[in-house]
Amino acid sequence: MSTTVRTDSIDLPLLYRLFDLSPDEDLRVLVRRARATREALVQLVFSVAERSGHRLGTGSADELRRARARAEGYRRLHTAIRAAHPVHVLKGPAISQHYPEGVLRPTGDLDLVVADERELWAVVRVVLDHQSVDNLDYSVVDGERRHMMATLSWAPLDPLLDRDAKVDVGTAAYFGDGALLPVRSRPPADEVLTALLAIAEERFQRAFHAVDALDVIVLSRVGPESVAAAEATVREFRLAPEVTELLAHAGRCAPLGPFEELRRRLEPAAEQERERRLA
């Protein structure tokens, strides 16, 4: 555990490495690179810059204020839901609680997992009791067992600049890719692994980006309860190719402690899973 990076070392030099920039570049270059990579990433840069002593202007300060209000709204909703019903949170508050004080983890939505459809609609009711929503959509995935996803969304503080706020409530943790991987209902008992697998599953929709790397760096400080158990879990969930790619993506910028051992141990499993998918 001694080689893991400290989360209070999430600083501007680390962000420059994450975005493949020279540390001699002007901070505005980092801001533009972050925004071009993914709109919400700039909020992270603003928070780290502010924490490092940079004075924010009116535009950047207000953008960061709105992002923090959004994250706090999700945190309050999660607290209210968890007080009434047993739910698992896949990323969001489960990861951001480990970020250093003052550093904002951009949160696009709140992803929750419940046991069945009855619990799903009970959680939807709690959200509606605490938040006015503009849209409520749901989808059904039929297979060996029917699964459902409900999505509630509403306008953000600045509807012309920000994405809608959103809560997803599903009866499965990982829905797979719709072809090669099946739906996997229950997340692992280890919250670190739950979050790690949720980040890895994003690879079916997009390439990994800087927040994914920072999430892994932060989670590496917490560490899985057991590297051997983590390896077995990743194999069981059939995400070894995505997890090894994710850990390599994060490891190029900072040491990952126990996750480095996990990546080495998973390399044979990743190759086996790729061959299985090809077959």
Side-chain angles (χ1 to χ4, degrees), residues 102-175:
V103 176
L104 173 72
R105 179 191 183 274
T107 304
D109 51 25
L110 181 62
D111 293 312
L112 302 173
V113 182
V114 295
D116 52 37
E117 291 182 27
R118 180 178 179 180
E119 282 294 315
L120 181 147
W121 293 116
V123 168
V124 166
R125 181 71 262 170
V126 175
V127 175
L128 293 174
D129 287 343
H130 288 80
Q131 174 66 51
S132 297
V133 307
D134 297 322
N135 294 290
L136 170 56
D137 301 309
Y138 68 92
S139 56
V140 175
V141 177
D142 285 319
E144 293 183 6
R145 174 192 163 191
R146 183 173 114 143
H147 286 284
M148 179 174 286
M149 172 74 75
T151 299
L152 303 96
S153 60
W154 58 94
L157 289 175
D158 192 325
L160 296 182
L161 292 178
D162 302 331
R163 292 171 52 194
D164 282 357
K166 188 174 70 167
V167 175
D168 289 323
V169 189
T171 58
Y174 313 108
F175 280 87

Side-chain angles (χ1 to χ4, degrees), residues 14-34:
L14 175 58
L15 295 188
Y16 276 98
R17 293 198 299 274
L18 282 170
F19 287 102
D20 296 317
L21 291 172
S22 165
D24 298 325
E25 291 280 10
D26 190 274
L27 182 56
R28 286 172 293 188
V29 176
L30 176 61
V31 169
R32 288 195 293 268
R33 176 67 62 85

Side-chain angles (χ1 to χ4, degrees), residues 31-32 34-35 38-47 63 106:
V31 169
R32 288 195 293 268
R35 197 183 293 280
R38 191 182 182 207
E39 186 71 23
L41 291 178
V42 76
Q43 302 158 4
L44 169 71
V45 175
F46 289 155
S47 70
E63 190 165 349

